[in-house]
Amino acid sequence: MKTVTRTFCGLFALCLAAPVVAETVVNIAYLRQEIDRPPVLSNLDAVPEDEGIAGAFVGLEDNITTGKFLGQIFMLDIRSVPVGGDLVAAANEILASTDIILIDAPSADMTQIADLEAAKDTLFFNVSNYDNALRDEGCRANLLHTLPSYAMRSDALMQLLQSRRWTDLVMVSGTHEPDIAFANALRRSATKFGLRIRDEKEWVFDANMRRAASAEVPLFTQDFPNHDVMLVADETGDFARYLLFNTWEPVLLAGSEGAQPVAWSPVMEQWGGVQLQNRFEEYAGRSMRSVDYAAFAAIRAIGEAVTRTGSDDASVLRDYILSPEFELGAFKGRPLSFRDWDGQMRQPIPVVHAHAVIAVPPMDGFLHPVNELDTLGIDKPESRCSAFTE
Amino acid sequence: MKKILIPALLAASPTMSGEIWVTNEHDDTVSVIDTETYEVTRTIEVGERPRGITFSKDYSVVYICASDSDTVQVVDPNTGEILHDLPSGEDPEQFALHPDNRHLYIANEDDAIATVVDVETRKVIAQIDVGIEPEGMAISPDGTIAITTSETTNMAHWINTETHELFANTLVDSRPRHAEFTHDGSQLWVSSEIGGTVTVFNVADQSEIAKVRFEITGVHPDNIQPVGFEFTEDGETVFVTLGPSNHVATINAKTFEVEDYILVGRRVWHMAFNDNNTELYTTNGVSGDVTVIDVASRTPIRTIKVGRFPWGAAFRPTE
């Protein structure tokens, strides 16, 4: 019950007198492979050009402010490679000047870059890719993840639905690669938490649903068996918005529409979230998205590790970030840390709708012997990632 | 235990009258509680998102941080009338009044700045660059040192009140929220909400003397989040609010050991003692109420409903 430790002014209790002379310069790069996005039925919510990058800059400003009291300087170099451009050449170029890189790229590109000879001692942060495989059988020891996985998001949603006792589900999923990956994660999570997906349909229509939704969706959903909630896996934002209020039964939607498990949303205002949103909006002129949050958290994790270790060495920072001593306060109400078996940042996953936070899983009652945050995503005993133990 | 306590309570109850003023963050009001009757006697409308609250040393006025109105309001405690606003810088969250009763040190959460305002001339006399999201504010009893803690930079910034310059920056655990000097000015205590610790510094050389951790059976460590704290008058005990764990801890200020955990309302933020330090009033953000703790027995004795999201608390005598 009663614990106390005593420490004395040492490395971490910095007893500095101002002004401070800069000693540590931390060079960080942001490497992005631009992609062609599939066409969607409505462009109401286009992906901003600076998604992720804006979050990185807001994190950088926070690091710079902190660093000025400690003689630490942070720099950020942005490399965005156009579709069809030479990502490897760009990577090799930035690897010559930095060994800490935020990476925003499809899975195959991400692992290809992490496997480059010149990247052996580089610390990468995946800020854009939810792919479970990157944290599982396809993990890399030099690749950490601040964006949650599909499995973390689907587990969060299923915990919410289970605690509401809405356990009879049906699912509509799209045919793009991310839709399939998210649908797979939802199936896995339903099994994990004892919910039942009673039927599934694939969305294959190519009509212009802005006119036809009201006519087609009722028929499309008419023969589903009884259900409490309709899951929708539509990660590119193509059709899900037209399901809402057009279903045969008056039904709740969850997944890519309705109740959405996300890394971040503009509706997050607890735990100082308003302050972060204000800083972000002032900088970017728009609201903060999940990928922005992941990039922000990566930069802040680097900053926190530099502040606490006084080092700019990527391997020292990696060891500290993966250690039990590391904790990051990042506006989610709990200290965030990294799983030392797959490099994933532990974090609560808010389930939100357009106007409010519904809940912030892990939900009460979902227990874990070590850390309740590990009830979300692929836990240590089931992980197929071995790169971190080799 | 009880046989001793009941007479003690009886002896303590006919105290001088006084009021606890509580800011309701999401109601834009202040609830005034009579410490004799435990009733809310007045609800005063103030600016948007009121948080920090403190009385002038002579209790003639009360200062209230109206965070979203970007101002510090000066209120007549007898009439509840807003007398005037003070320039405060953007988004004032907490502040501390210098022992000279004239200079208010304000943490500007959105601006990474601490603002010093002269309450007589109503002018800003200094602005000091500090870390990201400054919140906690404290001034040493002799008035020579001001402290602000920054939630995202995770530091206590030590400000020389003569020159208004930083002379030290000390790292603490994640998300520091509140700072207080001991009555004798020899130690500075700082709470870290996400880190779950309270750090004690030796003021003479800014070195860390101790770090206090908490543990409550059945509560996940991540939910034990120290925020506000208060020293008893004799300086021997510190009461610390632990946020969403819904408990207040007591720390022995000499040994730095945690002695008791007291169950209060939900998401407990800040506290104020009554006039003779026999009772402690805690603001419980989520449950929208105030818990009254009997200091001698360290037990909760009453719950008083106030407005939505009560945050700050301050005492004033009424006789």
Side-chain angles (χ1 to χ4, degrees), chain A residues 13-184:
Chain A
L14 290 148
C15 311
L16 297 175
V20 198
V21 182
E23 286 161 1
T24 310
V25 180
V26 184
N27 288 307
I28 307 166
Y30 189 112
L31 178 63
R32 174 168 76 173
Q33 173 62 63
E34 295 172 19
I35 53 167
D36 274 330
R37 295 181 199 277
V40 291
L41 290 172
S42 161
N43 279 321
L44 279 171
D45 298 301
V47 178
E49 287 281 307
D50 62 348
E51 188 187 41
I53 293 169
F57 272 112
V58 172
L60 186 78
E61 281 184 29
D62 286 5
N63 284 5
I64 288 170
T65 305
T66 301
K68 76 180 177 194
F69 299 109
L70 299 169
Q72 294 162 345
I73 292 174
F74 293 84
M75 319 268 263
L76 182 61
D77 182 15
I78 308 290
R79 293 297 168 90
S80 193
V81 179
V83 177
D86 191 343
L87 181 68
V88 172
N92 276 318
E93 203 180 306
I94 57 172
L95 282 165
S97 58
T98 178
D99 52 8
I100 305 170
I101 299 176
L102 276 57
I103 183 161
D104 171 348
S107 302
D109 290 334
M110 215 174 258
T111 45
Q112 187 193 6
I113 300 300
D115 290 341
L116 289 174
E117 181 58 29
K120 223 168 43 188
D121 299 320
T122 300
L123 181 58
F124 290 96
F125 290 86
N126 160 23
V127 299
S128 71
N129 196 320
Y130 297 104
D131 189 355
N132 287 343
L134 287 171
R135 289 89 170 159
D136 204 16
E137 71 274 16
C139 71
R140 298 292 190 272
N142 57 353
L143 179 60
L144 309 185
H145 312 267
T146 49
L147 193 75
S149 61
Y150 284 122
M152 291 167 73
R153 290 172 54 209
S154 56
D155 281 351
L157 180 60
M158 292 302 166
Q159 285 191 3
L160 170 70
L161 299 182
Q162 179 58 268
S163 44
R164 297 280 196 269
R165 306 265 188 278
W166 298 334
T167 52
D168 280 345
L169 315 171
V170 295
M171 179 157 70
V172 180
S173 52
T175 54
H176 296 294
E177 204 180 303
D179 306 341
I180 294 164
F182 189 38
N184 283 336

Side-chain angles (χ1 to χ4, degrees), chain A residues 195-344:
Chain A
L195 297 91
R196 189 160 63 132
I197 300 179
R198 300 191 64 193
D199 196 10
E200 291 188 32
K201 283 192 177 193
E202 230 174 47
W203 184 266
V204 288
F205 294 94
D206 54 8
N208 184 344
M209 299 312 291
R210 270 175 291 189
R211 262 170 295 168
S214 59
E216 297 201 35
V217 172
L219 293 172
F220 180 71
T221 57
Q222 187 179 8
D223 57 352
F224 270 135
N226 284 342
H227 53 280
D228 304 312
V229 174
M230 185 180 293
L231 302 174
V232 51
D234 174 28
E235 290 292 283
T236 60
D238 183 22
F239 60 90
R241 67 178 74 226
Y242 301 107
L243 293 182
L244 204 56
F245 294 102
N246 284 318
T247 50
W248 184 259
E249 297 287 341
V251 67
L252 298 170
L253 293 184
S256 307
E257 181 56 77
Q260 301 185 42
V262 295
W264 191 257
S265 154
V267 299
M268 288 284 285
E269 32 173 29
Q270 262 202 79
W271 307 300
V274 172
Q275 275 74 251
L276 176 61
Q277 307 270 19
N278 287 348
R279 285 207 297 284
F280 186 87
E281 280 188 31
E282 197 174 314
Y283 175 81
R286 60 177 176 85
S287 52
M288 192 172 198
R289 300 161 62 100
S290 288
V291 173
D292 294 310
Y293 178 81
F296 169 82
I299 296 275
R300 288 289 303 123
I302 296 161
E304 183 68 17
V306 171
T307 301
R308 303 285 171 181
T309 61
S311 173
D312 59 352
D313 183 299
S315 66
V316 172
L317 299 180
R318 179 185 178 278
D319 288 350
Y320 181 74
I321 287 171
L322 290 172
S323 77
E325 281 73 46
F326 180 86
E327 58 177 22
L328 182 66
F331 308 95
K332 286 190 164 184
R334 288 177 182 235
L336 309 186
S337 55
F338 285 76
R339 294 173 181 155
D340 64 4
W341 64 87
D342 65 0
Q344 172 66 51

Side-chain angles (χ1 to χ4, degrees), chain A residues 152 262-263 332-336 346-350 360-362 373 376:
Chain A
M152 291 167 73
V262 295
K332 286 190 164 184
R334 288 177 182 235
L336 309 186
R346 291 185 182 94
Q347 55 192 300
I349 303 291
V360 186
L373 292 174
L376 303 175

